[in-house]
Amino acid sequence: MQTRAAILWEQNGDWSVEDIELDDPKAGEVKIKLVASGLCHSDEHLVTGDMVLGPDISELMGVQQFPIIGGHEGAGEVVEVGPGVTTLKEGDHVVLSFIPACGRCPSCARGRQHLCDLGAFILAGRQITDMTARHHALDGTDLGIMACTGTFAPYTVVSETSCIKIDDWIPLDKAALVGCGVTTGWGSAVNAADVRAGETVVVIGLGGLGMNAVQGAALAGARHVVGIEPVEWKREKAAEFGATHTAATVEEAFAKVGELTWGAMADKAILTTSVATGDLIGQMMSLITKGGRAVCTAVAPILQEDVKINLFDLSMQRKELVGCIFGNSNPRRDIIRLLRLYEEGKLKLDELITTTYTLDDINQGYKDMRDGKNIRGIIKY
């Protein structure tokens, strides 16, 4: 069939919205008619090069990352199933998980679906089943898809392992958000930081991830949730999601957290800035108490190695610094669980959506994100 898609033809370019050819699903695959896609910062990392594979890795995998259809935060309806698909049928409503979950690899078997072995393919841009393309430009050029999903298109073909079936009464434009940002932010607090009732938590960066880390910490029973964000309206908005205090800078937050805790500092801190940089790690570590935990969720440039951290402080105060991907969640369990919380009014999804765009407006949507105008922009089809 013919459809449309937002394509990134090269690093540092604009998204080009154009007609494409979409193949039928092959074995183990499904075709999805999408209702909405979130404008997540991870796709911006493709533009800036933060998540661009080096030539050695591309050659090893036998793929060329560009051109690529962006988008990895989406939800829609199954309209066609390929041979051998057993868990989905036409008409099913699904959220696309940006990390596939096979359910059989060692990580999935240990309850770590966010580390599924199939995650090795999320930047390769090809179908998991055979490393070929189902999406093609009109001149025949094969198109990659971001995170095995490619949600910047009204229709896409994905692996069955990327689909989480949901109840058909849940609004799909809201459900799309749990395909990445909500689950990643919420899980950063609940899973990775392991926030407990009565604790003091700091969240650095109040965008699409940070607001959900605030929600997660508040739902887990944190006594204080301190949000750090330079954009004033986002600081004001954070109270709606459970922040008890805010600050514009880490320095301002350091004094605030010290006052709140009588000098003990925060039990947990979570980094959810637009880009992780080495200097931010040391600042985050300074905000936590002895025996406290700091979580790095923000994406750093793929070759970033320089980190500023006091190693004496790390060991002598037994502080912990841990990584986090997809909120360290199990998407087949946690996506459903989060939507249950939404149905019961305990998780805010509608309030996260700042602006709704058409696919043709995608470059404006990302400009608005860079300018700090959105918590989460979404494309509706």
Side-chain angles (χ1 to χ4, degrees):
M1 66 174 291
Q2 190 172 99
T3 185
R4 304 175 75 232
I7 304 167
L8 188 65
W9 285 91
E10 60 184 0
Q11 185 179 326
N12 297 317
D14 287 333
W15 295 99
S16 175
V17 179
E18 48 193 274
D19 293 335
I20 68 164
E21 292 288 344
L22 181 65
D23 296 341
D24 292 335
K26 293 187 178 181
E29 299 172 352
V30 295
K31 182 181 288 183
I32 306 294
K33 179 183 180 181
L34 289 159
V35 168
S37 174
L39 297 177
C40 180
H41 200 106
S42 293
D43 299 285
E44 178 76 359
H45 288 300
L46 280 178
V47 176
T48 61
D50 293 342
M51 296 182 76
V52 172
L53 299 175
D56 293 342
I57 299 177
S58 294
E59 183 177 353
L60 179 66
M61 300 188 75
V63 299
Q64 183 175 341
Q65 203 169 6
F66 296 105
I68 188 168
I69 298 170
H72 62 283
E73 188 179 83
E77 179 183 341
V78 176
V79 293
E80 187 177 349
V81 298
V85 173
T86 59
T87 62
L88 297 168
K89 64 182 186 304
E90 290 183 14
D92 283 348
H93 287 194
V94 296
V95 169
L96 298 185
S97 170
F98 86 88
I99 296 181
C102 73
R104 297 181 296 274
C105 70
S107 294
C108 284
R110 294 181 64 189
R112 297 178 176 178
Q113 292 175 7
H114 55 281
L115 295 177
C116 178
D117 285 354
L118 294 180
F121 298 101
I122 63 174
L123 293 181
R126 294 297 184 264
Q127 296 294 327
I128 296 168
T129 47
D130 60 7
M131 290 299 288
T132 61
R134 304 289 175 269
H135 306 67
H136 315 278
L138 293 186
D139 65 2
T141 302
D142 287 345
L143 301 172
I145 50 173
M146 174 63 166
C148 306
T149 57
T151 61
F152 289 167
Y155 290 85
T156 189
V157 170
V158 302
S159 168
E160 180 181 16
T161 60
S162 295
C163 298
I164 311 298
K165 183 180 175 180
I166 65 170
D167 294 319
D168 58 12
W169 57 80
I170 298 172
L172 285 166
D173 57 333
K174 310 307 187 302
L177 301 179
V178 300
C180 178
V182 173
T183 308
T184 300
W186 181 86
S188 296
V190 175
N191 298 328
D194 191 24
V195 173
R196 305 292 182 89
E199 290 187 329
T200 296
V201 181
V202 177
V203 178
I204 307 172
L206 297 177
L209 298 185
M211 286 298 189
N212 289 295
V214 167
Q215 284 205 84
L219 279 168
R223 179 187 178 195
H224 303 125
V225 182
V226 182
I228 303 175
E229 169 59 52
V231 179
E232 183 178 4
W233 78 266
K234 291 185 180 181
R235 294 199 303 272
E236 295 171 353
K237 184 76 170 176
E240 189 174 339
F241 294 92
T244 58
H245 303 79
T246 59
T249 64
V250 171
E251 292 76 17
E252 182 183 333
F254 186 89
K256 176 75 70 176
V257 173
E259 178 184 352
L260 290 171
T261 61
W262 295 7
M265 304 308 290
D267 300 284
K268 310 289 169 56
I270 305 166
L271 184 65
T272 51
T273 50
S274 57
V275 181
T277 57
D279 60 304
L280 290 171
I281 301 300
Q283 294 179 42
M284 176 169 60
M285 298 299 285
S286 73
L287 291 167
I288 60 174
T289 187
K290 55 186 178 181
R293 176 177 292 185
V295 175
C296 183
T297 300
V299 174
I302 202 166
L303 297 178
Q304 173 71 40
E305 294 181 345
D306 297 328
V307 175
K308 189 75 172 179
I309 188 172
N310 187 309
L311 294 177
F312 184 85
D313 182 60
L314 181 71
S315 58
M316 293 300 101
Q317 295 206 47
R318 216 217 73 191
K319 294 183 178 182
E320 299 177 359
L321 174 61
V322 302
C324 178
I325 181 170
F326 207 178
N328 293 3
S329 66
N330 291 303
R332 297 204 176 279
R333 173 176 181 261
D334 289 336
I335 283 176
I336 301 301
R337 183 162 58 141
L338 287 168
L339 291 175
R340 291 275 188 269
L341 289 171
Y342 170 66
E343 287 184 273
E344 294 171 4
K346 297 176 181 178
L347 181 77
K348 297 181 184 297
L349 296 182
D350 302 63
E351 296 83 354
L352 290 168
I353 300 171
T354 316
T355 310
T356 299
Y357 303 90
T358 67
L359 184 61
D360 290 312
D361 292 330
I362 186 170
N363 288 302
Q364 182 63 48
Y366 272 105
K367 182 179 186 302
D368 290 345
M369 183 199 71
R370 291 189 294 269
D371 291 344
K373 295 180 179 179
N374 287 338
I375 296 172
R376 181 60 100 227
I378 67 164
I379 293 170
K380 288 189 70 172
Y381 299 112

